[in-house]
Amino acid sequence: MLKKKIKIEVIQKVLDNWTGFFLPYQMALHELESDFKVIDLEWKTQHGYSPIEHMKTRMKKLTSLVEKIQRKEIPLTQEAVRNEIRDILGVRIVTSFIDDVYKLKEHIEQREDIRMIRVKDYIQDPKMSGYKSL
C-alpha cells in the first residue's frame, strides 16, 4: 500500500509542476509522424513502393513513466527524467519484409533531420518471446 501511495503522490507532483514538460515530446511526435509520411512519399517516388506498411505513435502514459522513474530510482527532476528515460515517445513502423526494415534504417540514417542515438536489433538477435524488431 505504501508503494501505491508514493506513486499517487509522485503522479500528483508531476501533474502540478511539470505542465510544459510533455509539450516538446508531443511536438516531436507530430514532427516524426510528418517526417515518416515524407519518407513514405519519397520512397514511393524513388522505388515505386513504400516499405512502410503502417505506422503507430504513442506517448508513454504518466503512470508508466512514474513506475519507470521509481523502478530505476531516477530523481524526480525534469532534467534527470529527460536524460535517463529514452522511451517517453515511440514510433512503431511495420514493414512487409525484413529487408525493408534495414533499407528503411539506412534511409533514416542518411537524413539530416533525424538522428539515431541507439539501435537494438532484435531481428538478428530475437527476444526470448520470439519478438523481432529493430
Side-chain angles (χ1 to χ4, degrees):
M1 184 68 176
L2 181 60
K3 189 173 184 176
K4 218 173 197 179
K5 184 177 181 189
I6 293 170
K7 186 174 153 184
I8 291 168
E9 289 171 2
V10 173
I11 289 171
Q12 192 59 52
K13 182 177 180 180
V14 171
L15 286 172
D16 291 344
N17 301 314
W18 290 28
T19 338
F21 178 78
F22 295 99
L23 184 60
Y25 290 99
Q26 291 168 330
M27 291 169 34
L29 198 56
H30 290 301
E31 190 170 329
L32 280 170
E33 283 180 290
S34 177
D35 285 348
F36 284 115
K37 287 177 182 176
V38 169
I39 289 171
D40 185 56
L41 289 171
E42 287 175 349
W43 201 278
K44 284 178 183 172
T45 302
Q46 293 174 0
H47 304 285
Y49 79 104
S50 173
I52 299 174
E53 189 74 29
H54 68 273
M55 177 176 60
K56 183 176 182 178
T57 60
R58 65 111 178 114
M59 286 282 295
K60 190 172 218 50
K61 292 179 183 173
L62 184 55
T63 53
S64 298
L65 180 61
V66 169
E67 286 171 0
K68 192 166 199 172
I69 290 167
Q70 290 183 324
R71 187 175 65 249
K72 294 182 109 188
E73 298 180 353
I74 296 169
L76 190 59
T77 66
Q78 292 182 21
E79 183 180 5
V81 171
R82 227 180 258 111
N83 291 333
E84 298 294 325
I85 307 290
R86 298 281 179 213
D87 63 343
I88 292 174
L89 64 84
V91 178
R92 174 174 292 176
I93 298 172
V94 176
T95 64
S96 296
F97 305 104
I98 290 177
D99 288 348
D100 286 341
V101 173
Y102 293 106
K103 289 176 187 174
L104 191 55
K105 175 186 173 280
E106 289 173 15
H107 184 84
I108 293 166
E109 287 173 331
Q110 292 171 4
R111 293 181 63 96
E112 293 181 15
D113 59 341
I114 299 175
R115 179 174 49 107
M116 285 192 210
I117 296 172
R118 179 177 40 176
V119 176
K120 293 182 182 182
D121 191 339
Y122 294 116
I123 296 171
Q124 294 295 323
D125 188 22
K127 290 186 174 188
M128 293 291 289
S129 65
Y131 180 76
K132 294 182 179 184
S133 70
L134 178 71

